[in-house]
Amino acid sequence: MLGAAVALAGCAAAGAGGTSSASASSDADARGESYSRDPYPSTYRPYAGVPTLVTNVTILDGEGGRIENGAVLFRDGRIVEVGSDLAARAGVTVIDGAGSYLTPGIIDVHSHLGDYPSPSVAAVSDGNEATAPTTPEVWAEHSVWPQDPGFSRALANGGVTTLQILPGSANLMGGRSVTVKNVYARTVQGMRFPGAPYGLKMACGENPKRVYGSRNRMPSTRMGNLAVNRQTWAEAQAYDRKWDKYEAEGGDPPARDIGMDTLRGVLDGEILIQNHCYRADEMAVVLDMAREFGYRVTAFHHAVEAYKIADLLRESDTCAAVWADWWGFKLEAYDETDANLAILDDQGACALIHSDDANGIQRLNQEVAKARAAGIRAGMDISEEHAWRWLGINPARVLGIADQTGSIRAGKMADLVLWNGNPFSVYTRPQMVWVDGALLYDMNNPELRPVSDFELGQPGQGM
């Protein structure tokens, strides 16, 4: 944008006289050459689809809307029309979904598929670079094994079409996350969601202080956690200033630091903070630290005590990704309420469900059903269509892709799930799943049961 703005300014000055034009050219020559922000770009190409009209379905649009006896038309990977009386046209495949529900494809903002794949053995355990308290230089995508059978389980059993793969939580700064489409590809670049921003995985609380304290090194306390973080952010600000100056004025380029590149991306608003944190008081401290150093926390993950600070989250525009009822496995995860998600939502904070689990990702619809039921028991009126925001537009917002997916709207990617009943029932399963308008799973068609290369020829492949 800076380059474009400078170029436009140069064009305007040229009309007034050659001296200004020469000066603009000289300024441009003086600028330093920056590094690539995306050296491993997405090579994702949608699978082929056909124009399709799904009719007679109950639509939960992912933004709080509901249409009974609805219909959705999509072609060329995009949703074209949404309504209740769409006519079939020549060349369009019509699917009568009577008795079924149609929703946006489910988005999981917290997964380790590919980094901790199935089978779970040490040889493919590549999710935690637990060798230093801060490792912003590592990227989760460089551990992802695209053949992980967990991807197909999430697609076929869970209707998951997009997921964020994060490094683990042993470190204060665990590295970059990557957002992928849930499709088979030879490389992780072939799965990367086009245009999705990277995330920086951070963690507070017991994990980093336990891992490094047990090695008799800092941090071993929560105050140590914050001290290491603050010192690292201070160094990142200095690094950012050096590169800003070089890119504006030229001269000798500063030495590259791959980890600091990531933190600079956060300070510049290009990379989103995804922060593992359980206790309310710690999340409040992290929000203070973000204000001190001039970045924003996009979402707290796990956030068991988020219900205690709904107002702080709302005011800072920070989302909370939570479980329905997973708690108590360590002290910082103890003070839970099953109504956590519903309370956050009721108080106007952005809230959503997440899995952090290779099995849980296959039942996120049931997790939302449990969270909704807990909210209703607590006295809140929560419709099915409103609750589906916790699986639709809210997770899309956390990943910075809400303009592309996460709801059923004309113009958005045709990431869709046809459920063979009410998706709030434990007996309901995905019947069909489309990614960018391509039918990748059909429960009635064995040819559309995705199988990874790793499973080929093995007993129970694709099960």
Side-chain angles (χ1 to χ4, degrees):
M1 286 298 292
L2 177 62
V6 170
L8 287 172
C11 289
T19 301
S20 296
S21 176
S23 175
S25 176
S26 176
D27 289 345
D29 292 342
R31 291 197 296 270
E33 183 177 354
S34 190
Y35 51 87
S36 171
R37 262 59 165 189
D38 192 17
Y40 303 91
S42 171
T43 59
Y44 171 76
R45 297 291 181 273
Y47 281 85
V50 298
T52 303
L53 177 65
V54 183
T55 64
N56 297 322
V57 288
T58 298
I59 298 173
L60 306 180
D61 71 5
E63 294 185 18
R66 180 188 187 108
I67 303 175
E68 299 290 352
N69 297 315
V72 175
L73 172 67
F74 51 92
R75 66 159 56 93
D76 299 328
R78 296 279 171 173
I79 297 169
V80 178
E81 289 183 84
V82 183
S84 56
D85 187 22
L86 304 184
R89 300 167 190 170
V92 174
T93 297
V94 179
I95 297 171
D96 184 351
S100 304
Y101 280 60
L102 190 73
T103 71
I106 287 179
I107 300 169
D108 188 3
V109 303
H110 196 116
S111 175
H112 300 295
L113 293 184
D115 281 5
Y116 288 121
S118 307
S120 178
V121 297
V124 291
S125 177
D126 295 310
N128 260 318
E129 184 57 42
T131 52
T134 66
T135 57
E137 64 269 35
V138 304
W139 298 20
E141 68 185 77
H142 297 148
S143 282
V144 170
W145 184 42
Q147 294 184 39
D148 179 2
F151 290 121
S152 67
R153 307 302 193 270
L155 181 82
N157 299 330
V160 174
T161 56
T162 297
L163 58 151
Q164 176 176 229
I165 302 170
L166 298 145
S169 53
N171 299 350
L172 295 167
M173 298 177 179
R176 288 198 195 196
S177 68
V178 63
T179 297
V180 300
K181 288 274 192 174
N182 194 10
V183 299
Y184 273 110
R186 294 175 300 164
T187 67
V188 68
Q189 286 174 270
M191 302 173 71
R192 270 191 62 189
F193 194 111
Y198 281 110
L200 170 62
K201 169 70 176 297
M202 295 185 67
C204 56
E206 295 178 17
N207 286 12
K209 80 187 192 78
R210 181 185 68 244
V211 170
Y212 296 99
S214 66
R215 301 174 189 174
N216 198 29
R217 62 177 299 189
M218 197 172 180
S220 65
T221 62
R222 284 184 162 82
M223 59 185 173
N225 283 349
L226 201 73
V228 174
N229 273 329
R230 293 181 70 221
Q231 182 61 43
T232 308
W233 283 118
E235 293 167 5
Q237 286 182 320
Y239 184 80
D240 190 33
R241 285 193 295 269
K242 286 180 183 176
W243 273 96
D244 282 349
K245 185 174 188 298
Y246 166 70
E247 289 169 357
E249 302 174 8
D252 294 332
R256 283 287 299 282
D257 183 315
I258 301 301
M260 287 295 165
D261 286 351
T262 294
L263 302 188
R264 185 180 185 226
V266 174
L267 296 173
D268 290 350
E270 300 168 354
I271 295 176
L272 310 180
I273 290 290
Q274 312 287 351
N275 205 132
H276 156 127
C277 214
Y278 290 83
R279 273 182 19 189
D281 59 313
E282 277 198 284
M283 287 185 266
V285 169
V286 169
L287 291 176
D288 285 341
M289 179 171 64
R291 278 189 287 273
E292 178 185 5
F293 290 99
Y295 66 90
R296 189 174 75 84
V297 179
T298 299
F300 287 111
H301 295 221
H302 312 337
V304 164
E305 293 187 10
Y307 65 94
K308 299 179 181 179
I309 55 164
D311 56 335
L312 301 183
L313 297 172
R314 182 182 64 244
E315 291 161 7
S316 61
D317 192 25
T318 298
C319 297
V322 305
W323 296 294
D325 54 4
W326 199 2
W327 64 285
F329 43 88
K330 53 184 172 178
L331 189 58
E332 66 183 1
Y334 192 78
D335 202 1
E336 186 260 8
T337 168
D338 290 357
N340 189 11
L341 204 167
I343 292 171
L344 289 163
D345 185 271
D346 183 66
Q347 295 299 306
C350 167
L352 56 145
I353 207 80
H354 70 347
S355 79
D356 190 23
D357 183 73
N359 288 314
I361 195 173
Q362 301 176 38
R363 290 180 290 277
L364 284 172
N365 60 312
Q366 296 176 26
E367 294 301 297
V368 158
K370 289 191 290 185
R372 173 175 175 252
I376 292 172
R377 286 196 299 273
M380 287 169 259
D381 181 15
I382 308 169
S383 67
E384 292 179 345
E385 54 270 26
H386 184 84
W388 209 265
R389 292 171 53 87
W390 307 340
L391 285 166
I393 198 65
N394 286 1
R397 178 178 163 190
V398 165
L399 300 183
I401 54 176
D403 59 333
Q404 295 293 317
T405 190
S407 63
I408 299 179
R409 293 283 177 195
K412 285 198 170 186
M413 295 171 167
D415 300 335
L416 300 163
V417 183
L418 182 68
W419 303 86
N420 67 350
N422 186 317
F424 291 85
S425 165
V426 295
Y427 299 108
T428 295
R429 293 176 55 84
Q431 180 175 329
M432 293 178 167
V433 183
W434 293 267
V435 178
D436 281 311
L439 182 59
L440 297 189
Y441 173 69
D442 181 348
M443 69 184 307
N444 296 315
N445 182 354
E447 297 298 320
L448 281 177
R449 178 85 199 186
V451 178
S452 78
D453 286 356
F454 177 74
E455 297 176 283
L456 286 175
Q458 298 196 41
Q461 66 177 22
M463 298 301 290

